[in-house]
mmCIF file with all atom_site columns, all heavy atoms in Angstrom:
data_model
loop_
_atom_site.group_PDB
_atom_site.id
_atom_site.type_symbol
_atom_site.label_atom_id
_atom_site.label_alt_id
_atom_site.label_comp_id
_atom_site.label_asym_id
_atom_site.label_entity_id
_atom_site.label_seq_id
_atom_site.pdbx_PDB_ins_code
_atom_site.Cartn_x
_atom_site.Cartn_y
_atom_site.Cartn_z
_atom_site.occupancy
_atom_site.B_iso_or_equiv
_atom_site.pdbx_formal_charge
_atom_site.auth_seq_id
_atom_site.auth_comp_id
_atom_site.auth_asym_id
_atom_site.auth_atom_id
_atom_site.pdbx_PDB_model_num
ATOM 1   N N   . THR A 1 3   ? -127.404 25.080 -4.343  1.00 0.00 ? 3   THR A N   1
ATOM 2   C CA  . THR A 1 3   ? -128.400 24.415 -5.190  1.00 0.00 ? 3   THR A CA  1
ATOM 3   C C   . THR A 1 3   ? -129.313 23.568 -4.318  1.00 0.00 ? 3   THR A C   1
ATOM 4   O O   . THR A 1 3   ? -128.860 22.944 -3.358  1.00 0.00 ? 3   THR A O   1
ATOM 5   C CB  . THR A 1 3   ? -127.692 23.506 -6.224  1.00 0.00 ? 3   THR A CB  1
ATOM 6   O OG1 . THR A 1 3   ? -126.808 24.316 -7.002  1.00 0.00 ? 3   THR A OG1 1
ATOM 7   C CG2 . THR A 1 3   ? -128.686 22.825 -7.148  1.00 0.00 ? 3   THR A CG2 1
ATOM 8   N N   . ILE A 1 15  ? -149.978 24.883 -10.036 1.00 0.00 ? 15  ILE A N   1
ATOM 9   C CA  . ILE A 1 15  ? -149.670 26.271 -9.690  1.00 0.00 ? 15  ILE A CA  1
ATOM 10  C C   . ILE A 1 15  ? -149.127 26.360 -8.248  1.00 0.00 ? 15  ILE A C   1
ATOM 11  O O   . ILE A 1 15  ? -148.334 27.237 -7.923  1.00 0.00 ? 15  ILE A O   1
ATOM 12  C CB  . ILE A 1 15  ? -150.925 27.158 -9.905  1.00 0.00 ? 15  ILE A CB  1
ATOM 13  C CG1 . ILE A 1 15  ? -150.546 28.616 -9.920  1.00 0.00 ? 15  ILE A CG1 1
ATOM 14  C CG2 . ILE A 1 15  ? -152.027 26.859 -8.913  1.00 0.00 ? 15  ILE A CG2 1
ATOM 15  C CD1 . ILE A 1 15  ? -151.542 29.501 -10.606 1.00 0.00 ? 15  ILE A CD1 1
ATOM 16  N N   . LEU A 1 21  ? -141.718 26.812 -6.031  1.00 0.00 ? 21  LEU A N   1
ATOM 17  C CA  . LEU A 1 21  ? -140.491 26.986 -6.825  1.00 0.00 ? 21  LEU A CA  1
ATOM 18  C C   . LEU A 1 21  ? -140.027 28.442 -6.810  1.00 0.00 ? 21  LEU A C   1
ATOM 19  O O   . LEU A 1 21  ? -138.833 28.720 -6.607  1.00 0.00 ? 21  LEU A O   1
ATOM 20  C CB  . LEU A 1 21  ? -140.756 26.526 -8.276  1.00 0.00 ? 21  LEU A CB  1
ATOM 21  C CG  . LEU A 1 21  ? -139.665 26.856 -9.283  1.00 0.00 ? 21  LEU A CG  1
ATOM 22  C CD1 . LEU A 1 21  ? -138.396 26.043 -9.008  1.00 0.00 ? 21  LEU A CD1 1
ATOM 23  C CD2 . LEU A 1 21  ? -140.143 26.607 -10.718 1.00 0.00 ? 21  LEU A CD2 1
ATOM 24  N N   . ILE A 1 22  ? -140.966 29.370 -7.014  1.00 0.00 ? 22  ILE A N   1
ATOM 25  C CA  . ILE A 1 22  ? -140.603 30.795 -7.051  1.00 0.00 ? 22  ILE A CA  1
ATOM 26  C C   . ILE A 1 22  ? -140.003 31.219 -5.701  1.00 0.00 ? 22  ILE A C   1
ATOM 27  O O   . ILE A 1 22  ? -139.008 31.941 -5.652  1.00 0.00 ? 22  ILE A O   1
ATOM 28  C CB  . ILE A 1 22  ? -141.847 31.669 -7.409  1.00 0.00 ? 22  ILE A CB  1
ATOM 29  C CG1 . ILE A 1 22  ? -142.323 31.327 -8.831  1.00 0.00 ? 22  ILE A CG1 1
ATOM 30  C CG2 . ILE A 1 22  ? -141.559 33.159 -7.279  1.00 0.00 ? 22  ILE A CG2 1
ATOM 31  C CD1 . ILE A 1 22  ? -141.304 31.553 -9.940  1.00 0.00 ? 22  ILE A CD1 1
ATOM 32  N N   . LEU A 1 25  ? -136.465 29.847 -5.366  1.00 0.00 ? 25  LEU A N   1
ATOM 33  C CA  . LEU A 1 25  ? -135.469 30.570 -6.169  1.00 0.00 ? 25  LEU A CA  1
ATOM 34  C C   . LEU A 1 25  ? -134.968 31.829 -5.463  1.00 0.00 ? 25  LEU A C   1
ATOM 35  O O   . LEU A 1 25  ? -133.926 32.372 -5.819  1.00 0.00 ? 25  LEU A O   1
ATOM 36  C CB  . LEU A 1 25  ? -136.059 30.938 -7.542  1.00 0.00 ? 25  LEU A CB  1
ATOM 37  C CG  . LEU A 1 25  ? -136.154 29.765 -8.527  1.00 0.00 ? 25  LEU A CG  1
ATOM 38  C CD1 . LEU A 1 25  ? -136.977 30.156 -9.745  1.00 0.00 ? 25  LEU A CD1 1
ATOM 39  C CD2 . LEU A 1 25  ? -134.757 29.283 -8.953  1.00 0.00 ? 25  LEU A CD2 1
ATOM 40  N N   . LYS A 1 26  ? -135.740 32.285 -4.470  1.00 0.00 ? 26  LYS A N   1
ATOM 41  C CA  . LYS A 1 26  ? -135.273 33.445 -3.681  1.00 0.00 ? 26  LYS A CA  1
ATOM 42  C C   . LYS A 1 26  ? -134.224 33.007 -2.663  1.00 0.00 ? 26  LYS A C   1
ATOM 43  O O   . LYS A 1 26  ? -133.443 33.803 -2.162  1.00 0.00 ? 26  LYS A O   1
ATOM 44  C CB  . LYS A 1 26  ? -136.452 34.101 -2.959  1.00 0.00 ? 26  LYS A CB  1
ATOM 45  C CG  . LYS A 1 26  ? -137.389 34.770 -3.955  1.00 0.00 ? 26  LYS A CG  1
ATOM 46  C CD  . LYS A 1 26  ? -138.596 35.377 -3.269  1.00 0.00 ? 26  LYS A CD  1
ATOM 47  C CE  . LYS A 1 26  ? -139.537 35.941 -4.336  1.00 0.00 ? 26  LYS A CE  1
ATOM 48  N NZ  . LYS A 1 26  ? -140.922 35.934 -3.921  1.00 0.00 ? 26  LYS A NZ  1
ATOM 49  N N   . GLY A 1 60  ? -138.824 30.732 -19.510 1.00 0.00 ? 60  GLY A N   1
ATOM 50  C CA  . GLY A 1 60  ? -138.554 32.127 -19.140 1.00 0.00 ? 60  GLY A CA  1
ATOM 51  C C   . GLY A 1 60  ? -137.927 32.275 -17.753 1.00 0.00 ? 60  GLY A C   1
ATOM 52  O O   . GLY A 1 60  ? -137.443 33.347 -17.415 1.00 0.00 ? 60  GLY A O   1
ATOM 53  N N   . VAL A 1 64  ? -133.312 27.175 -13.171 1.00 0.00 ? 64  VAL A N   1
ATOM 54  C CA  . VAL A 1 64  ? -134.150 26.009 -12.859 1.00 0.00 ? 64  VAL A CA  1
ATOM 55  C C   . VAL A 1 64  ? -133.828 24.903 -13.859 1.00 0.00 ? 64  VAL A C   1
ATOM 56  O O   . VAL A 1 64  ? -133.679 25.172 -15.049 1.00 0.00 ? 64  VAL A O   1
ATOM 57  C CB  . VAL A 1 64  ? -135.659 26.327 -12.982 1.00 0.00 ? 64  VAL A CB  1
ATOM 58  C CG1 . VAL A 1 64  ? -136.495 25.153 -12.479 1.00 0.00 ? 64  VAL A CG1 1
ATOM 59  C CG2 . VAL A 1 64  ? -136.024 27.582 -12.222 1.00 0.00 ? 64  VAL A CG2 1
ATOM 60  N N   . VAL A 1 66  ? -134.757 20.525 -14.756 1.00 0.00 ? 66  VAL A N   1
ATOM 61  C CA  . VAL A 1 66  ? -135.695 19.439 -14.457 1.00 0.00 ? 66  VAL A CA  1
ATOM 62  C C   . VAL A 1 66  ? -135.006 18.119 -14.741 1.00 0.00 ? 66  VAL A C   1
ATOM 63  O O   . VAL A 1 66  ? -134.243 17.999 -15.711 1.00 0.00 ? 66  VAL A O   1
ATOM 64  C CB  . VAL A 1 66  ? -136.935 19.494 -15.383 1.00 0.00 ? 66  VAL A CB  1
ATOM 65  C CG1 . VAL A 1 66  ? -138.031 18.563 -14.863 1.00 0.00 ? 66  VAL A CG1 1
ATOM 66  C CG2 . VAL A 1 66  ? -137.472 20.889 -15.517 1.00 0.00 ? 66  VAL A CG2 1
ATOM 67  N N   . SER A 1 70  ? -135.384 7.746  -9.990  1.00 0.00 ? 70  SER A N   1
ATOM 68  C CA  . SER A 1 70  ? -136.156 6.645  -9.403  1.00 0.00 ? 70  SER A CA  1
ATOM 69  C C   . SER A 1 70  ? -135.438 6.041  -8.196  1.00 0.00 ? 70  SER A C   1
ATOM 70  O O   . SER A 1 70  ? -135.859 5.013  -7.700  1.00 0.00 ? 70  SER A O   1
ATOM 71  C CB  . SER A 1 70  ? -136.445 5.580  -10.463 1.00 0.00 ? 70  SER A CB  1
ATOM 72  O OG  . SER A 1 70  ? -135.238 5.105  -10.981 1.00 0.00 ? 70  SER A OG  1
ATOM 73  N N   . ILE A 1 85  ? -132.894 19.909 0.243   1.00 0.00 ? 85  ILE A N   1
ATOM 74  C CA  . ILE A 1 85  ? -134.134 19.399 -0.345  1.00 0.00 ? 85  ILE A CA  1
ATOM 75  C C   . ILE A 1 85  ? -135.233 20.396 0.011   1.00 0.00 ? 85  ILE A C   1
ATOM 76  O O   . ILE A 1 85  ? -135.365 20.773 1.185   1.00 0.00 ? 85  ILE A O   1
ATOM 77  C CB  . ILE A 1 85  ? -134.512 18.012 0.247   1.00 0.00 ? 85  ILE A CB  1
ATOM 78  C CG1 . ILE A 1 85  ? -133.449 16.969 -0.112  1.00 0.00 ? 85  ILE A CG1 1
ATOM 79  C CG2 . ILE A 1 85  ? -135.890 17.567 -0.224  1.00 0.00 ? 85  ILE A CG2 1
ATOM 80  C CD1 . ILE A 1 85  ? -133.664 15.604 0.569   1.00 0.00 ? 85  ILE A CD1 1
ATOM 81  N N   . SER A 1 99  ? -142.398 15.633 7.945   1.00 0.00 ? 99  SER A N   1
ATOM 82  C CA  . SER A 1 99  ? -141.371 15.581 8.994   1.00 0.00 ? 99  SER A CA  1
ATOM 83  C C   . SER A 1 99  ? -140.847 14.157 9.171   1.00 0.00 ? 99  SER A C   1
ATOM 84  O O   . SER A 1 99  ? -139.663 13.967 9.446   1.00 0.00 ? 99  SER A O   1
ATOM 85  C CB  . SER A 1 99  ? -141.854 16.189 10.306  1.00 0.00 ? 99  SER A CB  1
ATOM 86  O OG  . SER A 1 99  ? -143.006 15.553 10.724  1.00 0.00 ? 99  SER A OG  1
ATOM 87  N N   . ASN A 1 105 ? -134.618 10.889 6.199   1.00 0.00 ? 105 ASN A N   1
ATOM 88  C CA  . ASN A 1 105 ? -133.524 11.338 5.328   1.00 0.00 ? 105 ASN A CA  1
ATOM 89  C C   . ASN A 1 105 ? -132.335 11.826 6.148   1.00 0.00 ? 105 ASN A C   1
ATOM 90  O O   . ASN A 1 105 ? -131.183 11.554 5.810   1.00 0.00 ? 105 ASN A O   1
ATOM 91  C CB  . ASN A 1 105 ? -134.014 12.453 4.391   1.00 0.00 ? 105 ASN A CB  1
ATOM 92  C CG  . ASN A 1 105 ? -134.849 11.905 3.256   1.00 0.00 ? 105 ASN A CG  1
ATOM 93  O OD1 . ASN A 1 105 ? -134.789 10.708 2.948   1.00 0.00 ? 105 ASN A OD1 1
ATOM 94  N ND2 . ASN A 1 105 ? -135.641 12.754 2.633   1.00 0.00 ? 105 ASN A ND2 1
ATOM 95  N N   . ILE A 1 115 ? -135.696 21.816 3.647   1.00 0.00 ? 115 ILE A N   1
ATOM 96  C CA  . ILE A 1 115 ? -136.247 23.156 3.902   1.00 0.00 ? 115 ILE A CA  1
ATOM 97  C C   . ILE A 1 115 ? -137.721 23.123 3.501   1.00 0.00 ? 115 ILE A C   1
ATOM 98  O O   . ILE A 1 115 ? -138.044 22.730 2.378   1.00 0.00 ? 115 ILE A O   1
ATOM 99  C CB  . ILE A 1 115 ? -135.555 24.219 2.997   1.00 0.00 ? 115 ILE A CB  1
ATOM 100 C CG1 . ILE A 1 115 ? -134.028 24.131 3.083   1.00 0.00 ? 115 ILE A CG1 1
ATOM 101 C CG2 . ILE A 1 115 ? -136.080 25.623 3.265   1.00 0.00 ? 115 ILE A CG2 1
ATOM 102 C CD1 . ILE A 1 115 ? -133.430 24.690 4.319   1.00 0.00 ? 115 ILE A CD1 1
ATOM 103 N N   . ALA A 1 131 ? -156.156 18.223 -9.308  1.00 0.00 ? 131 ALA A N   1
ATOM 104 C CA  . ALA A 1 131 ? -155.971 18.540 -10.732 1.00 0.00 ? 131 ALA A CA  1
ATOM 105 C C   . ALA A 1 131 ? -156.278 17.317 -11.601 1.00 0.00 ? 131 ALA A C   1
ATOM 106 O O   . ALA A 1 131 ? -156.965 17.420 -12.622 1.00 0.00 ? 131 ALA A O   1
ATOM 107 C CB  . ALA A 1 131 ? -154.545 19.031 -10.983 1.00 0.00 ? 131 ALA A CB  1
ATOM 108 N N   . LEU A 1 143 ? -157.259 26.038 -14.238 1.00 0.00 ? 143 LEU A N   1
ATOM 109 C CA  . LEU A 1 143 ? -157.294 26.781 -12.972 1.00 0.00 ? 143 LEU A CA  1
ATOM 110 C C   . LEU A 1 143 ? -156.189 26.343 -12.021 1.00 0.00 ? 143 LEU A C   1
ATOM 111 O O   . LEU A 1 143 ? -155.785 27.091 -11.141 1.00 0.00 ? 143 LEU A O   1
ATOM 112 C CB  . LEU A 1 143 ? -158.645 26.561 -12.272 1.00 0.00 ? 143 LEU A CB  1
ATOM 113 C CG  . LEU A 1 143 ? -159.886 27.177 -12.917 1.00 0.00 ? 143 LEU A CG  1
ATOM 114 C CD1 . LEU A 1 143 ? -161.132 26.738 -12.170 1.00 0.00 ? 143 LEU A CD1 1
ATOM 115 C CD2 . LEU A 1 143 ? -159.762 28.700 -12.896 1.00 0.00 ? 143 LEU A CD2 1
ATOM 116 N N   . PRO A 1 163 ? -157.622 6.101  -17.376 1.00 0.00 ? 163 PRO A N   1
ATOM 117 C CA  . PRO A 1 163 ? -158.182 5.522  -16.145 1.00 0.00 ? 163 PRO A CA  1
ATOM 118 C C   . PRO A 1 163 ? -159.055 4.312  -16.456 1.00 0.00 ? 163 PRO A C   1
ATOM 119 O O   . PRO A 1 163 ? -159.476 4.139  -17.601 1.00 0.00 ? 163 PRO A O   1
ATOM 120 C CB  . PRO A 1 163 ? -159.020 6.665  -15.559 1.00 0.00 ? 163 PRO A CB  1
ATOM 121 C CG  . PRO A 1 163 ? -159.256 7.603  -16.667 1.00 0.00 ? 163 PRO A CG  1
ATOM 122 C CD  . PRO A 1 163 ? -158.177 7.428  -17.682 1.00 0.00 ? 163 PRO A CD  1
#
Side-chain angles (χ1 to χ4, degrees):
T3 302
I15 195 158
L21 170 68
I22 296 300
L25 284 169
K26 291 178 184 151
V64 187
V66 193
S70 59
I85 296 173
S99 57
N105 284 341
I115 309 284
L143 291 174

